[in-house]
Amino acid sequence: MSEVKLAASVRSEFGKGAARAIRRDGQVPAVVYGHGSEPAHVTLPAHDLALALRTPNVLLSLDVDGKTELAIPKAVQRDAIKGFLIHVDLLLVRRGEKVTVEVVVETEGDLAPGSFLVENVLNTLSVETEATHIPTSVTVSIEGLEAGNSILAKDIELPSGTTLVTDPDAVVIQILAAQAEEPAAEGEAATEGAEA
């Protein structure tokens, strides 16, 4: 997993007005916390941060007043309509430290011939892994599966050094039979017409 370097500036002004001014300047207000230290209020470059956050569980290398800190995103707030970043919470991590994160589940392969539907019961798995080796996703093969088949969390192969936190017996993916809608019976249709 690659590190993304960002320059962070310590901020001393707070509140909605200050946050709006920060965003107008192309920055995003953020809070960095963890390891028992006092939360640090910083600003980060909006464009660079938005690009970095395209990678799930990205590892950020923050340059704060000449000191480098590693952090991962814990909460990202975006504007509901325009989607721009409003605020970010970052958790400090250390090399070799274990962290618990949500990892996206992706599927690959083709189902057995026939009309089946793939239902992603869980879109992410909670896993514990080293902070500097967080997987961006886990891939599950659905090759040849048929209706009635399911994949449990414990069935998914995780990268080396990563352990499952999600309930091992939780259903992650299940294969359903596609159901065609049955046409309404003629008697029902006549009744509905009379009521109308």
Side-chain angles (χ1 to χ4, degrees):
M1 148 179 242
S2 60
E3 292 177 23
V4 176
K5 295 185 178 181
L6 294 176
S9 304
V10 177
R11 63 186 168 104
S12 56
E13 295 182 0
F14 307 99
K16 289 185 179 179
R20 277 195 290 268
I22 288 168
R23 288 192 287 272
R24 275 196 301 271
D25 290 340
Q27 302 284 313
V28 177
V31 175
V32 185
Y33 62 93
H35 295 150
S37 61
E38 284 291 316
H41 297 271
V42 299
T43 60
L44 298 168
H47 179 70
D48 294 342
L49 180 60
L51 290 177
L53 292 176
R54 289 182 180 178
T55 301
N57 297 317
V58 65
L59 182 65
L60 301 173
S61 177
L62 305 177
D63 182 4
V64 187
D65 284 344
K67 183 180 177 184
T68 301
E69 300 272 18
L70 293 178
I72 58 174
K74 287 305 282 185
V76 178
Q77 296 175 13
R78 296 181 183 273
D79 181 83
I81 298 170
K82 297 184 179 178
F84 60 81
L85 293 168
I86 293 176
H87 189 274
V88 180
D89 287 354
L90 302 172
L91 176 67
L92 290 173
V93 295
R94 295 189 180 107
R95 295 187 190 283
E97 178 184 8
K98 293 275 190 176
V99 293
T100 299
V101 295
E102 296 292 317
V103 178
V104 175
V105 177
E106 297 179 345
T107 58
E108 67 177 7
D110 299 315
L111 297 173
S115 298
F116 303 114
L117 300 172
V118 179
E119 181 184 11
N120 286 65
V121 180
L122 295 178
N123 292 315
T124 61
L125 286 180
S126 185
V127 299
E128 186 181 66
T129 187
E130 189 183 330
T132 54
H133 293 91
I134 300 173
T136 54
S137 64
V138 290
T139 304
V140 182
S141 174
I142 57 170
E143 187 69 38
L145 295 183
E146 301 178 344
N149 291 152
S150 60
I151 297 173
L152 305 180
K154 64 185 177 186
D155 300 329
I156 298 174
E157 187 175 338
L158 299 174
S160 176
T162 302
T163 56
L164 186 66
V165 175
T166 298
D167 178 2
D169 293 319
V171 175
V172 179
I173 293 168
Q174 58 186 11
I175 312 302
L176 308 172
Q179 296 180 351
E181 287 187 21
E182 294 182 14
E186 287 182 23
E188 291 177 14
T191 305
E192 288 174 8
E195 289 175 356

